[in-house]
Amino acid sequence: WGWHRGMHDDLFVLLTEVTKGVPWAIWFVVIILTLSVGLTYIKIGADEKKRHEEYIREHPNLPLLCSFPLCGKPLKGIKEEDRVPSKMHPDVPYCSRECRRRDTSENNHRSLALLLKYRSEELAKKRAREERERSKGIFQLLSELIPTPQLGTGLVDGDDEEITVLSEKVEMEAAVMTSRRFCEAYVEKYGLAVHHWSWECYAKSGRGVVMVHLSEKAMEHSNGSPLTYVPRRMLLGLDDYILNEIVRTYDPERELVMYIFQRGVERRHIAVPFRYLVYPKDKTPPPPR
């Protein structure tokens, strides 16, 4: 016990000598920053774990179906080597070449492949950015708090990133306004027909959204009708809690979920969901064929 006590005393004396010339205000700031960073990471981890548990509980494992929504054939009994993969995205399987052909020509598969590709790239960048933030040391965090003016620009480090974030926010707000105006006009004119088609897809492939790709190329590759029915299983891969909550709770018989897909400038893609009531309660929707 005496040896341990002597060692602790020596360490206390050494720490006292090291910290003698450092102002207490700096140590106070360092301690506060260390505690705040640690508590932030703990809170982020706990919140992420909670959201993940809720996500898994509310979205159980869905059966793997043919990706052509008007087919919906289960792929469980088909060997993986016998399944027909998409030519544009590896995570979109089909039960036959005919379904792949029809999905490409009738369901605007090209836009779905772009959505899955862009979203996976965005999630990969987000995870890499979070890893970089977690790997920063306390001295690096302190150095980022010190402004370093750039010569000839009048900016400080980090201002360009803030400008980018602001540009993304403005672009997102403009995209939401554009999507909402388009949806209101589109549903008012074609809502009944689109709902009837989406209900037929729902009868075969389950819950999903009607995605509209607002671009000239999408119009060219889909014979003038850039509509895509995206089943719920594929939507889980987008890792969008708000979108999947809307899909989980909407009424397929009376409601329609529109998913507007746009190409951005600051962001490669912007997708916004909208939920519409097509058939009021006093009207009975027609049964699916």
Side-chain angles (χ1 to χ4, degrees), residues 46-58:
D47 292 344
E48 185 66 25
K49 182 178 180 182
K50 182 179 179 182
R51 286 198 300 266
H52 182 71
E53 292 175 351
E54 293 178 353
Y55 190 71
I56 296 299
R57 183 174 62 253
E58 296 176 356

Side-chain angles (χ1 to χ4, degrees), residues 61-101:
N61 292 329
L62 300 175
L64 182 61
L65 305 177
C66 176
S67 299
F68 180 48
L70 290 176
C71 175
K73 181 180 179 180
L75 299 179
K76 185 177 181 180
I78 303 177
K79 296 181 180 180
E80 188 171 354
E81 57 270 18
D82 295 334
R83 298 171 186 173
V84 180
S86 167
K87 296 181 179 180
M88 305 177 189
H89 199 279
D91 297 334
V92 184
Y94 300 96
C95 66
S96 64
R97 297 181 182 274
E98 177 64 17
C99 285
R100 184 176 66 180
R101 183 193 66 79

Side-chain angles (χ1 to χ4, degrees), residues 30-264:
V30 171
I31 293 173
I32 293 297
L33 287 176
T34 304
L35 290 176
S36 62
V37 171
L39 292 175
T40 300
Y41 285 150
I42 293 174
K43 185 176 184 301
I44 290 176
D47 292 344
E48 185 66 25
K49 182 178 180 182
K50 182 179 179 182
R51 286 198 300 266
H52 182 71
E53 292 175 351
E54 293 178 353
Y55 190 71
I56 296 299
R57 183 174 62 253
E58 296 176 356
H59 302 87
N61 292 329
L62 300 175
L64 182 61
L65 305 177
C66 176
S67 299
F68 180 48
L70 290 176
C71 175
K73 181 180 179 180
L75 299 179
K76 185 177 181 180
I78 303 177
K79 296 181 180 180
E80 188 171 354
E81 57 270 18
D82 295 334
R83 298 171 186 173
V84 180
S86 167
K87 296 181 179 180
M88 305 177 189
H89 199 279
D91 297 334
V92 184
Y94 300 96
C95 66
S96 64
R97 297 181 182 274
E98 177 64 17
C99 285
R100 184 176 66 180
R101 183 193 66 79
R102 293 187 61 188
D103 192 50
T104 304
S105 60
E106 301 176 17
N107 194 47
N108 193 16
H109 172 67
R110 185 182 297 270
S111 295
L112 173 61
L114 286 177
L115 173 67
L116 297 176
K117 176 184 176 182
Y118 292 163
R119 182 57 177 168
S120 62
E121 293 175 354
E122 186 179 32
L123 291 175
K125 291 180 181 179
K126 180 181 177 181
R127 286 190 291 267
R129 185 167 57 250
E130 292 176 351
E131 288 297 328
R132 287 196 302 269
E133 291 295 328
R134 291 192 179 97
S135 62
K136 289 181 179 179
I138 183 63
F139 294 104
Q140 185 176 359
L141 293 174
L142 287 174
S143 64
E144 292 178 355
L145 297 177
I146 302 175
T148 54
Q150 299 177 359
L151 296 177
T153 61
L155 298 176
V156 297
D157 288 347
D159 280 1
D160 53 347
E161 184 175 353
E162 293 180 1
I163 293 174
T164 301
V165 172
L166 180 60
S167 301
E168 290 182 358
K169 183 178 179 181
V170 172
E171 184 181 49
M172 187 65 185
E173 292 177 353
V176 170
M177 293 178 59
T178 303
S179 302
R180 180 177 291 109
R181 291 179 180 177
F182 170 82
C183 268
E184 291 174 352
Y186 196 83
V187 172
E188 182 179 359
K189 189 173 183 179
Y190 304 107
L192 296 179
V194 174
H195 178 269
H196 187 72
W197 172 72
S198 67
W199 198 7
E200 291 180 353
C201 296
Y202 161 77
K204 298 289 186 179
S205 301
R207 292 174 176 268
V209 302
V210 176
M211 186 178 74
V212 183
H213 190 180
L214 298 182
S215 74
E216 296 179 359
K217 290 186 177 180
M219 294 289 289
E220 294 174 359
H221 293 294
S222 58
N223 298 322
S225 179
L227 297 180
T228 309
Y229 189 84
V230 186
R232 188 182 181 190
R233 183 182 181 88
M234 294 184 186
L235 296 175
L236 295 178
L238 301 179
D239 198 20
D240 189 334
Y241 297 107
I242 297 177
L243 171 64
N244 284 282
E245 180 65 19
I246 294 175
V247 176
R248 187 182 68 88
T249 57
Y250 87 104
D251 183 2
E253 294 186 354
R254 302 182 182 278
E255 293 181 318
L256 183 65
V257 180
M258 303 289 294
Y259 198 47
I260 309 303
F261 179 37
Q262 303 179 59
R263 184 73 181 268

